[in-house]
């Protein structure tokens, strides 16, 4: 909300000059431009990212116990942690949803289970506030298990995907870099699944076309496991066979 440069400059100056006995707590989805790098170098700030706030398996178990849920087997807790990647809001939705399921069905259905409230939550709290071009970017790239700027440009027709990915990560929109150089990124699995399902429902032909384009890019760049996945997802079995023909020598 605070974007005025004069206001941000005031905060940068204030935070630098505060005496040691004064502490300030800031909470935001987007990292505010208040001189955080300088405060970090001078060891005057502790920054907690969304990753730091994710629940561990033990914390998921403690949460279920603290909320008065029925005793939950460790195997179910482990599966919930894997599905949600420790995202607290999703864990809460899973907890509420699982209360409606019989214990014998929980593990069998958990990998495909999505609380119906999850779609509403993501739409209302995340997607509705985004510009239309960013929503299109997210939807078209959601089918990628991993992505860099080049493959995103291929799928979206943009030329600025690196800056978009960097901005989305900074804004906490379920995008995380998976390498030190911030070249490769991935979406939170639940977020990506929701976007994929929207795309498949709205435009099945585009869904397959995007998978075919992704398969072509990964094949051309020698990343054959991703190429195979996308070719099969596009139902282009002839191309999948061609990929395997090239890939098989390397596999052997």
């Amino acid at each position: 909300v605070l974007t005025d440069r004069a206001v941000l400059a005031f905060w940068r100056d204030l935070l630098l000059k505060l005496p040691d006995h004064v502490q300030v707590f800031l909470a935001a989805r987007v990292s505010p431009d208040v001189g955080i790098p300088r405060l970090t170098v001078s060891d005057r700030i502790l920054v907690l990212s969304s990753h730091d706030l994710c629940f561990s398996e033990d914390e998921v178990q403690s949460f279920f116990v603290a909320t008065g849920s029925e005793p939950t087997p460790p195997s179910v807790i482990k599966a919930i942690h894997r599905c949600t990647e420790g995202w607290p809001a999703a864990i809460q939705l899973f907890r509420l949803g699982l209360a409606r399921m019989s214990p014998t069905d929980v593990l069998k259905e958990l990998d495909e289970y999505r609380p119906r409230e999850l779609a509403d939550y993501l739409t209302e709290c995340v997607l509705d506030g985004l510009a239309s071009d960013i929503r299109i970017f997210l939807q078209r790239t959601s089918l990628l298990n991993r992505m860099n700027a080049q493959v995103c440009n291929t799928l979206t027709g943009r030329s600025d995907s690196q800056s978009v990915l960097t901005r989305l990560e900074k804004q906490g929109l379920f995008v995380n870099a998976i390498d030190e150089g911030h070249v490769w990124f991935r979406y939170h699995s639940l977020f990506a699944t929701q976007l994929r399902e929207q795309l498949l429902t709205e435009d099945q032909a585009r869904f397959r076309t995007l998978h075919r384009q992704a398969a072509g890019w990964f094949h051309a760049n020698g990343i054959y496991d991703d190429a195979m996945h996308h070719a099969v997802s596009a139902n282009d079995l002839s191309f999948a066979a061609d990929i395997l023909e090239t890939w098989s020598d390397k596999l052997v």
Side-chain angles (χ1 to χ4, degrees):
V1 174
L2 296 181
T3 57
D4 185 274
R5 296 181 66 178
V7 175
L8 293 172
F10 163 78
W11 275 102
R12 283 194 296 272
D13 190 51
L14 177 66
L15 293 175
L16 279 173
K17 295 178 179 178
L18 282 174
D20 291 338
H21 67 279
V22 177
Q23 292 184 325
V24 176
F25 295 85
L26 303 177
R29 179 180 291 278
V30 181
S31 180
D33 184 15
V34 291
I36 289 176
R38 182 183 295 182
L39 293 166
T40 302
V41 170
S42 60
D43 198 24
R44 297 190 62 185
I45 189 171
L46 174 64
V47 179
L48 297 176
S49 67
S50 57
H51 177 75
D52 297 312
L53 300 178
C54 288
F55 284 13
S56 65
E57 280 188 38
D58 288 343
E59 288 169 330
V60 174
Q61 178 70 63
S62 298
F63 174 68
F64 271 60
V65 171
T67 51
S69 302
E70 293 292 322
T72 309
S75 55
V76 174
I77 294 294
K78 186 179 184 69
I80 291 172
H81 182 262
R82 185 186 70 250
C83 289
T84 61
E85 300 181 28
W87 175 25
I91 292 168
Q92 165 71 338
L93 293 175
F94 268 71
R95 184 186 70 81
L96 296 172
L98 291 178
R100 300 190 291 265
M101 299 172 64
S102 66
T104 55
D105 291 336
V106 169
L107 267 180
K108 182 174 65 177
E109 299 181 12
L110 192 56
D111 280 335
E112 297 181 1
Y113 173 67
R114 299 289 180 269
R116 62 176 181 267
E117 298 89 353
L118 183 62
D120 296 335
Y121 178 88
L122 288 172
T123 298
E124 179 181 347
C125 297
V126 181
L127 298 176
D128 278 354
L130 299 176
S132 60
D133 65 315
I134 296 300
R135 293 187 65 166
I136 291 172
F137 178 95
L138 291 170
Q139 196 175 68
R140 292 186 181 181
T141 57
S142 64
L143 51 80
L144 299 168
N145 293 326
R146 53 176 168 168
M147 55 194 167
N148 64 15
Q150 288 72 39
V151 69
C152 289
N153 285 339
T154 298
L155 268 59
T156 62
R158 302 177 70 112
S159 59
D160 62 344
S161 291
Q162 182 64 45
S163 63
V164 173
L165 289 168
T166 301
R167 186 167 72 250
L168 290 174
E169 183 188 32
K170 184 178 179 181
Q171 292 175 345
L173 279 172
F174 304 97
V175 182
N176 294 306
I178 56 177
D179 63 352
E180 291 295 330
H182 279 63
V183 174
W184 288 95
F185 297 80
R186 64 179 291 274
Y187 291 121
H188 188 289
S189 57
L190 286 177
F191 184 62
T193 298
Q194 175 62 27
L195 291 168
R196 288 173 194 159
E197 290 175 353
Q198 283 184 358
L199 178 61
L200 185 60
T201 300
E202 294 172 6
D203 194 338
Q204 190 172 26
R206 183 181 292 280
F207 182 83
R208 289 189 174 182
T209 297
L210 289 168
H211 269 298
R212 179 62 178 79
Q213 289 177 315
W217 188 91
F218 282 111
H219 179 249
N221 286 273
I223 307 174
Y224 299 116
D225 49 348
D226 287 80
M228 176 66 75
H229 162 71
H230 290 293
V232 172
S233 298
N235 201 32
D236 191 340
L237 302 185
S238 176
F239 188 30
D242 291 341
I243 294 169
L244 184 58
E245 184 73 20
T246 306
W247 192 18
S248 57
D249 288 342
K250 297 182 182 298
L251 286 174
V252 172

